[in-house]
Amino acid sequence: MKHSKWMALLLTGVCAVSMLAGCGSNQGKDNPPTTSQQQSGAKMNEAVYEGSVLSGIVTDYTEGEFSVLAIQEETADDGGAIAIMPAPGSGKDDNATKVVYDKDCEFQIVKIDGSQKKAPEYQDASAGDVKKLTEVIVFGEKLPSGEVQADKVLIPQIYNKDKMPGSY
């Protein structure tokens, strides 16, 4: 009888301690985003490009104009999107699109969270922030000459690239 009371007390104590062991705080830990969080983050990041006429890498820059080697999107066999662009300096720069702008053109840096947890953040920039090999997103009008008259130019800066969905 003494042993059964002692055993019951011991088992009750072990159960209580084991239940408390699972009650730790998750604060400060990186919890992986859920699928719905990733989709809403991806939509926030995609919204940066909505309405753009051109996006790509600057291959040549002078005051009032620059050339952009466009990033082209294609669909993979599995339905995923693939971004394709010749490397700057590879001899295929003749496919670049000339972008012209005037003093009313708006320039902004857009900081994009690669982990898709935060909304893009915008900050003012200037034409001087556009340099050779800068990635740009151009908004404006395609002219009959094939050039683009820019109203707005975004300079994306992606952080948390190592936490992007699909990165290993």
Side-chain angles (χ1 to χ4, degrees):
M1 185 84 159
K2 284 185 181 182
H3 290 293
S4 62
K5 284 184 183 179
W6 176 252
M7 191 61 86
L9 184 60
L10 180 64
L11 289 174
T12 304
V14 169
C15 286
V17 170
S18 67
M19 286 181 8
L20 290 175
C23 295
S25 171
N26 283 339
Q27 259 183 335
K29 291 184 180 177
D30 285 335
N31 293 328
T34 64
T35 303
S36 64
Q37 287 173 326
Q38 284 180 342
Q39 287 173 348
S40 81
K43 287 179 185 173
M44 287 187 296
N45 291 342
E46 288 173 11
V48 170
Y49 292 85
E50 282 181 21
S52 65
V53 177
L54 175 69
S55 65
I57 305 294
V58 174
T59 59
D60 191 29
Y61 177 84
T62 59
E63 187 65 33
E65 65 182 56
F66 54 89
S67 296
V68 175
L69 192 55
I71 297 172
Q72 300 170 359
E73 287 191 27
E74 292 187 9
T75 304
D77 294 338
D78 65 356
I82 302 172
I84 300 174
M85 182 186 74
S90 68
K92 298 190 179 182
D93 291 356
D94 54 342
N95 294 333
T97 301
K98 185 176 180 180
V99 177
V100 293
Y101 63 92
D102 57 25
K103 62 182 170 101
D104 295 329
C105 184
E106 180 182 3
F107 290 85
Q108 288 183 315
I109 293 173
V110 57
K111 296 184 179 202
I112 300 172
D113 181 8
S115 69
Q116 301 178 351
K117 292 182 181 179
K118 294 183 181 176
E121 298 174 16
Y122 296 83
Q123 67 185 50
D124 291 335
S126 69
D129 292 310
V130 176
K131 298 175 176 57
K132 195 171 184 177
L133 301 180
T134 301
E135 184 178 348
V136 292
I137 305 167
V138 181
F139 297 82
E141 178 184 355
K142 264 193 174 173
L143 303 174
S145 63
E147 296 178 353
V148 173
Q149 175 67 48
D151 297 330
K152 181 178 180 179
V153 177
L154 296 179
I155 304 167
Q157 294 178 348
I158 301 174
Y159 62 97
N160 286 334
K161 288 182 182 182
D162 60 327
K163 296 180 181 171
M164 291 176 81
S167 64
Y168 302 99

